Amino acid sequence: MDRSDARSPQVETARILAEFLEVAITSVVFLKGLYPSGAFERRRYMNLVVQRARHPQLRDYIHSSVRSLLLFIQKGLVERVAVIFSNANNVPLERYVFQIMVNQSYGSMVEEGHLEFSLRSFLIKLSVSKSLSKVLPQGCRWEITAYFHSLPQVNTSKDAELWIPTDTKQWQQPLLITPIKSMSSDSLSVQLYLEHPSLLEENL
């Protein structure tokens, strides 16, 4: 990668977005209360108090998952990143979905401050969104899942080898979608929303 590519708008946008996603995913996991509060510590990010995982395995899972997407986000291959909470039978109960679009034709300098200000509002909204989500039963599990526009070639990147097909079951009925926050700029668009199974699905 040459210096001009390292400074490309897509590279800069993806870097800022990846940092945000790491914090936002941690915030979602903290919000759901699957771990004791002592598993997290308060840190400051974008001039906000946010949560950071203290347990090395939890922190590394979130960090490595997001970082392994960085190259694919730069290239516009990632459509959505979801945090999926499922029951013991791998049936999803709730999904927090970040739908992202990095503008591949944008060629101007990225205004980092403006972009971070827009993303900061997602963290504020997340912190007060608990009433929109469901209380999860005991024995739930969760995972980070990425949805690609096209599958990355394994032989072109070691990061591609980290992503395998999920065994989490899919909902068969139309979803209930609750928007949380969205933003759009010349270089980046992000939507955050909650997905729940329909009442019909829950009764199947």
Side-chain angles (χ1 to χ4, degrees), residues 3 8 16 20-21 34 39 49 54-56 70 73 76 79 82 107 176 181 184-185 191 196:
R3 291 180 63 85
S8 74
I16 296 168
F20 160 77
L21 284 174
L34 295 183
V49 175
R54 296 182 64 184
H55 194 284
L70 186 57
I73 292 174
E79 179 187 7
L176 299 177
K181 185 66 181 174
S184 181
S185 68
Q191 293 183 40
H196 292 113

Side-chain angles (χ1 to χ4, degrees), residues 10 14 69-79 100-104 148-150:
Q10 289 72 33
L69 285 175
L70 186 57
L71 178 63
F72 308 120
I73 292 174
Q74 291 172 11
K75 296 180 179 298
L77 295 178
V78 181
E79 179 187 7
I100 60 179
M101 194 280 290
V102 175
N103 187 349
Q104 296 299 296
F148 295 86
H149 289 292
S150 59

Side-chain angles (χ1 to χ4, degrees), residues 37-67:
S37 59
F40 301 87
E41 59 186 358
R42 291 157 63 92
R43 291 293 178 93
R44 187 165 289 277
Y45 173 73
M46 292 184 182
N47 206 29
L48 289 174
V49 175
V50 297
Q51 299 295 328
R52 178 177 181 266
R54 296 182 64 184
H55 194 284
Q57 289 183 327
L58 175 59
R59 186 169 64 244
D60 183 64
Y61 172 62
I62 297 172
H63 176 76
S64 61
S65 296
V66 173
R67 289 296 158 179

Side-chain angles (χ1 to χ4, degrees), residues 54-135:
R54 296 182 64 184
H55 194 284
Q57 289 183 327
L58 175 59
R59 186 169 64 244
D60 183 64
Y61 172 62
I62 297 172
H63 176 76
S64 61
S65 296
V66 173
R67 289 296 158 179
S68 67
L69 285 175
L70 186 57
L71 178 63
F72 308 120
I73 292 174
Q74 291 172 11
K75 296 180 179 298
L77 295 178
V78 181
E79 179 187 7
R80 288 169 290 159
V81 178
V83 185
I84 304 178
F85 297 92
S86 307
N87 64 18
N89 296 319
N90 267 0
V91 176
L93 303 174
E94 187 170 67
R95 286 198 293 237
Y96 282 79
V97 182
F98 297 85
Q99 184 168 323
I100 60 179
M101 194 280 290
V102 175
N103 187 349
Q104 296 299 296
S105 61
Y106 183 71
S108 301
M109 184 178 69
V110 174
E111 293 288 345
E112 184 172 348
H114 291 168
L115 202 55
E116 288 186 345
F117 181 81
S118 297
L119 293 173
R120 180 179 184 271
S121 62
F122 283 79
L123 299 175
I124 296 173
K125 198 75 173 180
L126 262 177
S127 67
V128 295
S129 67
K130 191 171 184 177
S131 62
L132 302 176
S133 64
K134 293 184 175 183
V135 177

Side-chain angles (χ1 to χ4, degrees), residues 177-194:
I177 298 177
T178 305
I180 296 178
K181 185 66 181 174
S182 65
M183 60 83 66
S184 181
S185 68
D186 291 337
S187 61
L188 175 68
S189 296
V190 181
Q191 293 183 40
L192 170 60
Y193 52 90
L194 261 174

